Amino acid sequence: MAAAPATFYITTPIYYVNDVPHIGHAYTTLACDVIARFMRLDGRDVRFLTGTDEHGQKVQTSAARAGVAPQAFTDRVSQNFRDLARAMRFSNDDFIRTTEPRHKRATQALWQALEARGEIYRGTYAGWYAVRDEAYYQPEELTDGPDGRKIAPTGADCEWVEEPSYFFRLSAWQDRLLAHYEANPDFILPAGKRNEVVAFVRSGLRDLSVSRTTFDWGIPVPGDPAHIMYVWLDALTNYLTAVGYPDTAPGSDYDRYWAGVHHLVGKDILRFHAVYWPAFLMAAGLAPPRRVFAHGWWTIEGQKMSKSLGNVIAPHTLVDTYGLDQTRYFLMREVPFGNDGDFSHRAMVNRINGDLANDYGNLVQRVLSMVAKNCGAAVPTPDARTDADQRLLGSARDLLARSRAEIEVQALHRFLDLVWAVVGDANRYVDEQAPWALRKTDPVRMGTVLYCLAETIRHLAILTQPVMPDASGRILDLLAVPPDRRGFAALTPDHALAPGTPLPAPAPVFPRHVDDAAPGA
Ligand code: MSP
């Protein structure tokens, strides 16, 4: 197998600060966090970036509605996203705000690179714009709403805009984009989403308006400050800003991290990331991202999340009701990553009581209590191993290579399926080997069985750290695994538990959820 590159760069979309964070926002960042933690445990040099998208008409309007200047407004609301990151234990290395000087510098440099290469020209835009989406639409895409309003396919209201504007020659990039998708079949994942993008680009691209003049909350166009840059050009550039662009010299952060960048985004913003963004980059002479992965959307108890329905769930409500690791586990396991999914109290409780309390938690609890009672509260001493022992240990040892392959394609749910298959194997092994019955008849064999189980649990807990950092850490504490032996490099027989190591008194790690009420009910 070719060695994986040592560096790994992963990004979330940057969040509009007109909104308070909800579980949709927490979801993208959580997925990135799990992947970033996995890669760090696997010895990679990781950059994990998130942040806030603070310019544009939508944010300016929200600030005006709140009666504050845009900068004061964004300072306040951006903090909510930093608080969210802390509450969810996101391990981002950087938090970017598009109002920072480093970002203005990078965005203006990218503009100048595009201009110098003849990719930008001046003209006039006359057409439809949806402030909610910060996106331009063609007349044929729109439907008629009440009162003669024009409605975008996303449901957003459109307004007619006519103003001088700079344009990016997107139309000239159609063939090169198609060639890039063709040559890099996993540039866009999942495959179904890739096909949608390819069909869209095949249907023809128009030049893109990349500046506005009718409001001023944005980054000025270099040399023509009456224009501010289109908020998506500004926002997408954040991924470059954070690796120090325009410094692209050998040894710079750009040089180290850019080629391997992975963008995780919701399906609604895939086009910006998989069409406009690689075109901007290639046009500026820069490499397109390595991967754009589009995930699906969450509904709540079968309904679209919306302020008017009053069903918007704040991430801290879930954490307070169900626990942090439980929430993280549910969001990653319940829905195949890439598909739409539904949050329901019932489904959450089933996962907590089934997968966590009954399957994983009970395995840990019964094995560690037997060890505490019957093996002198120390790691048991194994004797000769049977086929069943080898099979169980073999499945635990195979997990890392198989998990890597799933994480490589962002199949987070399949990674957890693999881990839970071994949880199931271990529970079946306990039932078959019945170590409690061996206590009197064959204590040596009991020691071997409990050792194999403890060693399997060590593997499981090391591998569940990216998803459930707290609970996995507690399980590793119960096995007396030292902090410097918790990386994936320790998933080898030479780091196996040392017989005779004293163990602390076992304590349950995954409580059952008994309260039947949904949050807010
Ligand atoms: N600011 C832009 C992104 C710029 S990236 C250069 C933006 N921001 S957003 O705050 O509106 O959305 C951010 C992310 O939240 C998107 O990936 C979007 O898909 C995700 N979600 C918003 N609601 C969601 C759900 N109900 N479910 C899952 N994800 C959702 O777009």
Side-chain angles (χ1 to χ4, degrees):
M1 200 174 75
T7 58
F8 182 78
Y9 181 23
I10 189 159
T11 70
T12 76
I14 48 172
Y15 301 100
Y16 285 128
V17 286
N18 63 310
D19 225 348
V20 289
H22 56 62
I23 67 166
H25 303 123
Y27 185 52
T28 324
T29 315
L30 172 61
C32 291
D33 184 58
V34 170
I35 297 170
R37 285 174 182 270
F38 187 100
M39 294 297 185
R40 285 192 203 103
L41 287 164
D42 209 10
R44 306 274 287 271
D45 167 5
V46 172
R47 268 298 170 89
F48 166 21
L49 174 69
T50 188
T52 41
D53 188 353
E54 306 194 358
H55 289 133
Q57 203 171 346
K58 173 150 90 171
V59 171
Q60 181 166 347
T61 310
S62 300
R65 219 175 280 134
V68 256
Q71 187 64 58
F73 177 75
T74 58
D75 288 347
R76 188 175 80 207
V77 192
S78 171
Q79 186 57 42
N80 294 335
F81 286 89
R82 273 192 298 273
D83 294 344
L84 170 71
R86 203 166 318 114
M88 296 288 294
R89 284 201 61 186
F90 294 151
S91 62
N92 51 297
D93 304 292
D94 193 356
F95 187 100
I96 193 166
R97 300 183 54 190
T98 54
T99 48
E100 290 174 64
R102 60 172 172 161
H103 181 66
K104 181 174 176 188
R105 195 165 53 241
T107 309
Q108 292 188 326
L110 184 66
W111 180 283
Q112 281 162 331
L114 292 170
E115 205 168 34
R117 291 166 156 258
E119 299 287 349
I120 284 179
Y121 63 92
R122 216 187 132 112
T124 303
Y125 180 77
W128 295 98
Y129 191 79
V131 177
R132 197 187 81 184
D133 303 342
E134 296 283 20
Y136 301 95
Y137 288 101
Q138 294 306 315
E140 61 274 15
E141 292 180 279
L142 307 181
T143 48
D144 292 316
D147 328 319
R149 283 183 297 150
K150 292 288 183 186
I151 312 290
T154 56
D157 274 347
C158 292
E159 61 186 44
W160 182 258
V161 169
E162 221 171 298
E163 57 186 335
S165 176
Y166 286 91
F167 286 83
F168 170 68
R169 293 186 197 283
L170 183 62
S171 59
W173 286 90
Q174 178 173 351
D175 292 344
R176 280 171 287 184
L177 283 168
L178 290 170
H180 186 73
Y181 306 146
E182 181 79 29
N184 300 278
D186 61 357
F187 170 63
I188 302 164
L189 287 181
K193 296 282 192 329
R194 169 185 188 271
N195 297 341
E196 287 170 24
V197 170
V198 170
F200 169 74
V201 173
R202 274 214 190 104
S203 74
L205 296 175
R206 292 187 176 80
D207 289 352
L208 182 71
S209 162
V210 286
S211 75
R212 305 286 312 269
T213 52
T214 44
F215 65 95
D216 60 5
W217 183 236
I219 297 179
V221 165
D224 195 351
H227 289 252
I228 55 160
M229 290 184 214
Y230 174 38
V231 66
W232 269 101
L233 174 56
D234 166 344
L236 288 160
T237 308
N238 90 86
Y239 306 131
L240 282 176
T241 306
V243 287
Y245 183 82
D247 178 7
T248 58
S252 63
D253 280 355
Y254 172 90
D255 181 48
R256 290 171 64 74
Y257 293 103
W258 185 254
V261 67
H262 287 58
H263 299 311
L264 263 60
V265 301
K267 62 180 183 178
D268 53 317
I269 56 173
L270 176 60
R271 197 177 285 184
F272 297 97
H273 284 83
V275 181
Y276 301 172
W277 183 226
F280 292 151
L281 287 165
M282 292 193 279
L286 302 169
R290 167 78 191 82
R291 164 80 35 82
V292 179
F293 186 99
H295 67 69
W297 271 47
W298 285 93
T299 51
I300 306 295
E301 308 278 352
Q303 284 185 310
K304 198 172 171 223
M305 213 178 350
S306 85
K307 278 189 200 144
S308 49
L309 287 173
N311 65 350
V312 177
I313 296 193
H316 71 81
T317 313
L318 292 187
V319 172
D320 294 348
T321 312
Y322 302 108
L324 175 59
D325 281 340
Q326 286 79 355
T327 300
R328 289 175 58 109
Y329 175 77
F330 174 85
L331 292 173
M332 293 293 95
R333 181 79 196 273
E334 181 67 8
V335 175
F337 198 54
N339 291 7
D340 291 335
D342 185 49
F343 173 86
S344 74
H345 175 68
R346 192 77 348 257
M348 177 72 118
V349 172
N350 284 342
R351 289 284 177 194
I352 293 175
N353 291 347
D355 302 6
L356 296 181
N358 287 352
D359 298 345
Y360 194 15
N362 206 18
L363 170 70
V364 174
Q365 182 61 16
R366 56 184 179 157
V367 169
L368 292 181
S369 357
M370 280 188 274
V371 168
K373 278 199 212 101
N374 306 315
C375 308
V379 173
T381 305
D383 194 42
R385 286 180 193 156
T386 64
D387 285 353
D389 304 347
Q390 303 289 15
R391 259 199 314 280
L392 179 66
L393 288 171
S395 67
R397 288 188 186 133
D398 284 350
L399 263 180
L400 175 60
R402 300 176 68 201
S403 301
R404 272 191 193 124
E406 300 300 356
I407 294 293
E408 212 48 59
V409 291
Q410 294 76 49
L412 293 159
H413 57 292
R414 285 208 302 265
F415 157 54
L416 288 172
D417 287 347
L418 289 173
V419 175
W420 255 258
V422 177
V423 170
D425 291 345
N427 274 318
R428 266 186 305 278
Y429 173 92
V430 182
D431 294 340
E432 284 158 17
Q433 303 297 324
W436 55 88
L438 293 167
R439 194 165 62 96
K440 293 227 169 73
T441 57
D442 190 349
V444 173
R445 175 69 195 144
M446 177 195 72
T448 307
V449 168
L450 290 176
Y451 182 86
C452 291
L453 284 162
E455 181 55 11
T456 301
I457 293 171
R458 183 181 75 91
H459 278 73
L460 294 169
I462 287 178
L463 278 159
T464 53
Q465 290 176 100
V467 180
M468 299 184 289
D470 291 342
S472 310
R474 286 205 300 280
I475 297 171
L476 293 167
D477 291 345
L478 294 175
L479 289 170
V481 174
D484 62 350
R485 296 280 187 90
R486 296 181 179 192
F488 295 166
L491 292 172
T492 56
D494 47 318
H495 290 97
L497 294 168
T501 310
L503 297 178
V509 175
F510 294 111
R512 290 181 67 78
H513 187 90
V514 282
D515 172 14
D516 215 30

